[in-house]
Amino acid sequence: MVYVGAFGVLILLLIFAFNNRFVGREYYAPRVGPLLAHWVGVAIQIAWVCIVTFLLLDWLKGDHSRADLWWVGVLWAVLSVAWELFAFHWVQKRGWRDVLDEYNPLIGHGWALVPLAYLLAPVAIHDWLFGF
C-alpha cells in the first residue's frame, strides 16, 4: 500500500516540477539568465521534494521497513527521470542532447541532483524525524 501512496505523491511532485520549469523559463531566465535560472529551479524542486515528503509523512509512519522507504525513493527517482525523458523528448520535441544536457554537471547543469533528492528524501526525512 505504501507504493500506491508514494506514486500519488510522485504525481504531485511532478506537477510541481512542471510548474517549476515553466516559471524558471518564463520568469527567472529573462531576469537572471538561463544557467542561474536552472540552478534556482533545481533548488526549488529539491525544496519541494523535502517539504512534500515532510508534510506527507503519515504514510511513512506506518508499519514500513527501511527497505520500503528505499524502494519508494527508487520508485520516485526512476519514474521522475523516465517522465522527464518522455516529456522533454517526445512531448516538447527536444533532441536527446538537449534533454541529457539538463543532467550534465560538466556544462554547469545540476538537475541530476533532483532525482538524487527523490531517492534520498523518504529515508533521510524519516530518519531525521523518527530516528533510525
Side-chain angles (χ1 to χ4, degrees), residues 5 11 16 20 27 39 48 51-52 57 62 73 80-81 85-86 88-89 96 100 105:
I11 297 299
F16 286 143
N20 185 17
Y27 181 76
W39 280 100
W48 274 124
I51 290 167
V52 168
L57 275 180
S80 69
V81 170
L85 296 176
F86 168 78
F88 290 123
H89 181 68
W96 282 113
L100 295 176

Side-chain angles (χ1 to χ4, degrees), residues 29-53:
R31 288 163 178 76
V32 299
L35 189 57
L36 185 55
H38 171 81
W39 280 100
V40 167
V42 168
I44 289 171
Q45 190 60 28
I46 290 172
W48 274 124
V49 169
C50 293
I51 290 167
V52 168
T53 303

Side-chain angles (χ1 to χ4, degrees), residues 60-73:
L60 290 178
K61 282 192 253 181
D63 191 21
H64 311 300
S65 70
R66 190 167 181 78
D68 286 336
L69 298 175
W70 277 113
W71 279 113
V72 167

Side-chain angles (χ1 to χ4, degrees), residues 70-130:
W70 277 113
W71 279 113
V72 167
V74 168
L75 175 80
W76 284 359
V78 169
L79 291 180
S80 69
V81 170
W83 168 252
E84 296 251 344
L85 296 176
F86 168 78
F88 290 123
H89 181 68
W90 283 291
V91 175
Q92 292 185 355
K93 306 289 188 211
R94 291 174 58 187
W96 282 113
R97 181 156 186 102
D98 289 340
V99 173
L100 295 176
D101 278 349
E102 294 289 326
Y103 295 89
N104 187 352
L106 299 176
I107 61 172
H109 288 191
W111 196 257
L113 295 173
V114 173
L116 185 62
Y118 282 121
L119 175 67
L120 298 175
V123 172
I125 292 176
H126 178 273
D127 288 353
W128 175 58
L129 291 176
F130 306 117

